[in-house]
Amino acid sequence: MDAREMKIKAAEAALAHVEDGMRLGIGTGSTAEEFVRLLAERVADGLKVEGVPTSERTARLCVELGVPLKSLDELPELDLTVDGADEVDGSLRLIKGGGGALLREKIVAAASARMIVIADESKVVDTLGAFKLPIEVNPFGLVATRIAIEKTAARLGLSGPLELRMAGRDPFTTDGGHYILDASFGRIPDADALAGSLNFIPGVVENGLFINMASLAIIAGPAGARTLTAKD
Ligand SMILES: O=C(CO)[C@H](O)[C@H](O)COP(=O)(O)O
C-alpha cells in the first residue's frame, strides 16, 4: 500500500463516523482532501451534511466537488471534525499546521463535539517535536515576538531555530493574514505547558499543539487502519 492508499484507508474509516444530517468540520491537507473526495461521493449519493472548511484551500475543493458548505458563524456548533495531523502521540496530542491552517483548524475543532484525526503510521510518535512546531504570529512586531517565543521556550528547557515560513521569496501568509514561525525545539516533553505559555505571548496568534481536542485517531498502515484513543 502506498502513502496515498493509506490516506484513503484512514479517510474511509473516518467516513463511517459520518451520519446523515451532521454538521461537519472539514480539515486541511492531503489526508483531509482524500476525506473530502470520499465525502463528496456520498453526498452525490444523497447523504445530507453541511461542512465548515478549515481553509480556503479546503473550501475550494468542497465547492468543486459539490460538498455543501456553511461558515462557522452560520454553524457555530459542529457534530464532528475530521482532520489530518503532522504528529500524533499516545494521548492524542497533536502537532498541526504543516499546511498552514492551524488557526482555523483549531477554532473549528474547538467548536466540534468530536474530532477524528486521520493519518498514516509515519505521523505516530512517542513524544511530539520531531516535526517543526508551527507558531502563527502577527506580522507586526515579528522580531519582538520571536525573541519572546525564544525566552518562553528557554524557561521550559527548549531551544532551537525559529524559521519564518516562506512562499517563494515572500513570507507565507495564512488565510488570516498572519505569518508562521516553524520552531525546531526537538522533543517537547511538556506539550501542555508549552501550548499554554506560547499563547500568552502578545503577537502569537496560535500554536500548532492541539491538546485534548482529538477524541479518536484513525491510523492507516500497510496492513490497514487501526484506531487510537487517548491513554489518559
Ligand atoms: O495541519 C494541517 C494543515 O495545517 C494538516 O492536517 C497536516 O499538515 C497534515 O497534512 P497531510 O495530511 O498533508 O500530511
Side-chain angles (χ1 to χ4, degrees):
M1 207 186 292
D2 66 20
R4 173 146 191 242
E5 286 166 336
M6 286 194 263
K7 290 173 191 185
I8 293 171
K9 272 273 167 283
E12 273 170 356
L15 197 59
H17 293 260
V18 175
E19 293 167 16
D20 211 49
M22 272 189 167
R23 300 157 297 175
L24 289 179
I26 306 181
T28 296
S30 58
T31 318
E33 283 176 10
E34 299 302 347
F35 175 77
V36 173
R37 288 194 183 90
L38 295 169
L39 180 67
E41 288 173 13
R42 292 280 308 281
V43 167
D45 288 344
L47 179 77
K48 297 268 180 290
V49 290
E50 290 180 310
V52 172
T54 54
S55 63
E56 298 301 323
R57 171 179 155 185
T58 294
R60 281 192 294 275
L61 184 65
C62 289
V63 169
E64 188 188 312
L65 299 178
V67 175
L69 293 183
K70 292 273 192 224
S71 71
L72 190 57
D73 289 333
E74 291 170 303
L75 285 187
E77 291 180 295
L78 302 172
D79 300 297
L80 172 66
T81 286
V82 177
D83 201 348
D86 300 300
E87 282 189 347
V88 186
D89 78 6
S91 298
L92 298 195
R93 288 180 285 238
L94 316 172
I95 287 184
K96 286 185 53 56
L102 64 150
L103 175 60
R104 291 191 188 183
E105 288 172 334
K106 203 179 265 193
I107 294 171
V108 168
S112 301
R114 284 191 300 147
M115 178 192 193
I116 295 180
V117 173
I118 49 176
D120 60 74
E121 286 287 355
S122 68
K123 308 289 184 68
V124 180
V125 296
D126 288 331
T127 306
L128 299 176
F131 192 89
K132 292 176 192 169
L133 177 66
I135 304 171
E136 185 158 346
V137 297
N138 196 298
F140 180 84
L142 177 65
V143 176
T145 302
R146 179 198 288 263
I147 292 169
I149 292 170
E150 283 166 351
K151 286 184 178 164
T152 294
R155 278 197 290 276
L156 295 168
L158 299 169
S159 63
L162 293 171
E163 288 164 48
L164 180 62
R165 192 179 296 184
M166 302 298 287
R169 295 162 64 137
D170 298 317
F172 172 87
T173 305
T174 67
D175 286 341
H178 307 125
Y179 292 167
I180 290 184
L181 291 169
D182 287 303
S184 298
F185 292 144
R187 288 177 78 255
I188 303 171
D190 193 346
D192 307 36
L194 181 61
S197 304
L198 285 173
N199 283 13
F200 272 118
I201 300 170
V204 169
V205 179
E206 195 44 88
N207 70 82
L209 291 164
F210 284 48
I211 314 281
N212 292 332
M213 302 200 93
S215 40
L216 184 73
I218 299 173
I219 307 296
R226 66 186 172 105
T227 56
L228 279 180
T229 46
K231 280 187 212 141
D232 51 14

